[in-house]
Amino acid sequence: MMKRQSAMAALLAGGWLVLVLAGSAVLYRQALDRLRMDLDGAADAVAGLVSQRIAQHDAHLTSMAALAQRSDRILLDEIGQVAGAIRAFYPRIEGVDLIGWETTSSEAGWRTLVSSRQPRLAPLVPRSLARVVAAAQPGRPVSTVPEPGQSRYLLVKRLPPAVGRLALVLTVDLEELVASRELPAGTQLALRLGDAAAMVANDAAAPGAGLHPPAMEAVRMLDNAGQPIELRLSRHPGWGDLALGRPLTVLVLVSLALLALAVLLAVQRRRAVQARGEAERARQAGRLSKQEATLAHAARVNAMGEMASGIAHELNQPLTALLSQSQAALRLAGLPGLEPEAMRRVLEANVQQARRAADILARMRAYVGASPPAAQACDLGEVAADMVALMRADLSARGVRLDTEVAVPPPMAWVDRVQAGQVMHNLIRNAAEALGSVPQERRRIVLGIDEADGMARIVVGDDGPGVAPGMLPHIFEPFRSDKEDGMGLGLAICESIVHHFDGSISAANRPEGGARFIVLLPLAGARRTSQESMP
């Protein structure tokens, strides 16, 4: 008894410790999420601020371009005054230049018409912008970086051809786009436009030695075609930024209260468990009995469903052929000069399909009654010829060509003739449906009949898209199909028929494209010899 109580106490203490640790982890995660949300909000605010400021650059260029289009002559003095005012009022704009050119092929063909730049900046070399100006569309500003690795970039706006061969150029310093006081405390902002880069920080110190919370970063890309600036706002939070002191204190107190409550509930639960033990065992026995009855009923319903699906799937083929042949007979009956021979062939085809449907039902009844169809010597060449004649109209309507390659003499298989034809029909029909998505000139099916490895072999290959790799291992499973309206029973029935006669069926994708199905059936001669040798 003492050992059990000691084990219970150790278990509760361990549970309390796990609870405290788990709660601490949750609080830590929530604090990090809060800091990340704050950083994301700050990044959105900074992105909005920078977007407004770079939009002002476009507005300045537009206003000066309007001055250049006011009259027949360019108002250079007015443009110079506006440029000086812009540079004085916006420190981040270090230079405003109006350049022109007569020819772009030489330095002498370029000139600076207006220039307002900070004294520490070197004069703008117009010829260096020849490629940028040539690629720019009039009225649409584009940016370029004169000195990779520096913080300055040039914003160039080519004026319309009606004004002349002119372009306005702003020299902008990325580092001046945002002031450090405009950033949240403890953060730093990296700005990049092409090869130009700048860094602005607001009391952002690198973390010292030891374990620290992970660094955070929020990236924003400004949606401005002429000035595509990338912003990276980062922060290295410290433990104090998480503000976990008060939440951890509350967690410990609450967990101690829960520990006391757990002790009380454990005592009460032990008593309740003992009282419920016998009643629960009785209920379990009754529940198991009921589940067994439910499962038995479900098995019977499932078997009936599979049988009904199989019958519907198999009868669909001869009934479809009957419908097609009957429609052909109606068309023949409506033609003048009815040919009795043509009508006789249609009626014979209907009789053949009706007998085939009856044979399918008979084999279904034999399956249910545990009397499977008997095998006999079957000429697979004749079965193939019947299938070609049977499916000729359907394949022609689909634009599919069926070629046969039958060995001479054809192999004699030990199988039921109707079910051998059923297997060929299903495989050819599946191949024809697969060819519906390929060009008509590639809609070709090859039916091969020969011998291989001492067995009669049926090979059906097509030039379609093949079987999906994920479907290939499950292709013979019932109710598995990659066709939208497929029931997934045709190939499962083929496998059942082939295995019943001690054969095998396999599927693979051809290296040159398309699928190939191979059916192996025992040869009639070998099976007769083995039966005669039996006592």
Side-chain angles (χ1 to χ4, degrees), residues 322-335 342-343 346 393:
L322 276 171
L323 176 61
S324 176
Q325 297 290 349
S326 298
Q327 290 173 339
L330 287 175
R331 289 193 297 269
L332 288 174
L335 295 176
M343 182 64 74
V346 171

Side-chain angles (χ1 to χ4, degrees), residues 29-69:
R29 173 59 63 181
Q30 290 177 346
L32 289 180
D33 291 343
R34 174 177 53 81
L35 291 179
R36 288 194 181 95
M37 290 179 61
D38 293 343
L39 189 66
D40 282 338
D44 291 336
V46 172
L49 180 63
V50 176
S51 294
Q52 292 176 2
R53 291 177 178 173
I54 64 177
Q56 292 173 352
H57 302 161
D58 294 340
H60 296 330
L61 292 174
T62 301
S63 63
M64 288 190 292
L67 286 176
Q69 303 177 61

Side-chain angles (χ1 to χ4, degrees), residues 296-309 479:
H297 175 69
R300 292 193 298 271
V301 172
N302 184 62
M304 293 179 63
E306 290 187 4
M307 179 61 67
S309 298
F479 307 106

Side-chain angles (χ1 to χ4, degrees), residues 394-403 432 434-445 463-464:
D394 180 62
L395 295 178
S396 177
R398 296 173 182 266
V400 176
R401 187 173 83 254
L402 175 60
D403 296 335
L435 291 172
S437 60
V438 303
Q440 186 166 355
E441 62 270 12
R442 290 178 47 200
R443 297 180 186 177
R444 176 174 176 264
I445 302 173
D463 295 330

Side-chain angles (χ1 to χ4, degrees), residues 55-378:
Q56 292 173 352
H57 302 161
D58 294 340
H60 296 330
L61 292 174
T62 301
S63 63
M64 288 190 292
L67 286 176
Q69 303 177 61
R70 287 182 57 185
S71 64
D72 293 338
R73 64 184 183 87
I74 301 174
L75 306 178
L76 298 180
D77 293 340
E78 287 80 351
I79 293 175
Q81 293 174 4
V82 172
I86 290 174
R87 190 176 62 78
F89 192 74
Y90 299 97
R92 65 181 180 273
I93 301 178
E94 298 181 337
V96 181
D97 295 270
L98 175 64
I99 62 175
W101 66 94
E102 295 298 332
T103 175
T104 60
S105 60
S106 65
E107 186 70 34
W110 292 83
R111 65 187 184 280
T112 300
L113 302 178
V114 175
S115 180
S116 177
R117 302 174 68 80
Q118 288 187 0
R120 60 186 176 86
L121 284 181
L124 182 69
V125 180
R127 178 71 176 83
S128 64
L129 298 177
R131 184 173 299 176
V132 177
V133 170
Q137 297 183 14
R140 294 188 179 182
V142 294
S143 57
T144 182
V145 178
E147 300 179 32
Q150 300 296 318
S151 61
R152 295 183 185 87
Y153 69 94
L154 302 180
L155 186 62
V156 182
K157 183 173 185 178
R158 183 176 179 178
L159 301 186
V163 182
R165 297 180 179 181
L166 302 173
L168 289 163
V169 183
L170 297 185
T171 303
V172 184
D173 191 353
L174 280 175
E175 195 169 356
E176 297 295 333
L177 276 174
V178 181
S180 60
R181 66 180 180 277
E182 293 174 318
L183 300 178
T187 63
Q188 63 180 7
L189 176 67
L191 303 95
R192 178 173 292 277
L193 189 153
D195 293 330
M199 185 74 70
V200 182
N202 184 5
D203 194 23
L211 186 63
H212 294 276
M216 302 175 182
E217 185 179 70
V219 182
R220 299 291 184 271
M221 190 69 192
L222 301 186
D223 186 15
N224 187 297
Q227 304 171 78
I229 299 176
E230 180 189 75
L231 306 177
R232 289 181 178 270
L233 187 64
S234 58
R235 179 177 186 177
H236 294 273
W239 292 110
D241 297 324
L242 299 180
L244 292 176
R246 180 175 295 179
L248 285 177
T249 302
V250 174
L251 172 64
V252 172
L253 294 177
V254 171
S255 62
L256 287 174
L258 291 176
L259 177 62
L261 180 62
V263 172
L264 178 61
L265 291 177
V267 174
Q268 294 180 349
R269 183 177 179 278
R270 184 187 305 167
R271 295 172 182 173
V273 168
Q274 293 175 352
R276 291 198 306 266
E278 291 299 326
E280 182 64 24
R281 282 191 288 272
R283 283 196 297 270
Q284 286 284 355
R287 196 157 47 237
L288 288 175
S289 177
K290 184 177 180 180
Q291 288 178 351
E292 289 177 356
T294 302
L295 290 174
H297 175 69
R300 292 193 298 271
V301 172
N302 184 62
M304 293 179 63
E306 290 187 4
M307 179 61 67
S309 298
I311 294 174
H313 183 275
E314 290 305 304
L315 286 182
N316 182 62
Q317 297 167 359
L319 290 179
T320 300
L322 276 171
L323 176 61
S324 176
Q325 297 290 349
S326 298
Q327 290 173 339
L330 287 175
R331 289 193 297 269
L332 288 174
L335 295 176
L338 177 63
E339 297 182 7
E341 181 60 25
M343 182 64 74
R344 185 184 64 80
R345 287 197 300 269
V346 171
L347 294 178
E348 285 179 351
N350 280 350
V351 170
Q352 182 182 4
Q353 291 305 317
R355 288 175 177 173
R356 184 164 180 260
D359 288 338
I360 290 173
L361 287 175
R363 279 155 178 77
M364 288 291 181
R365 287 195 299 269
Y367 174 78
V368 174
S371 56
Q376 57 185 347
C378 173

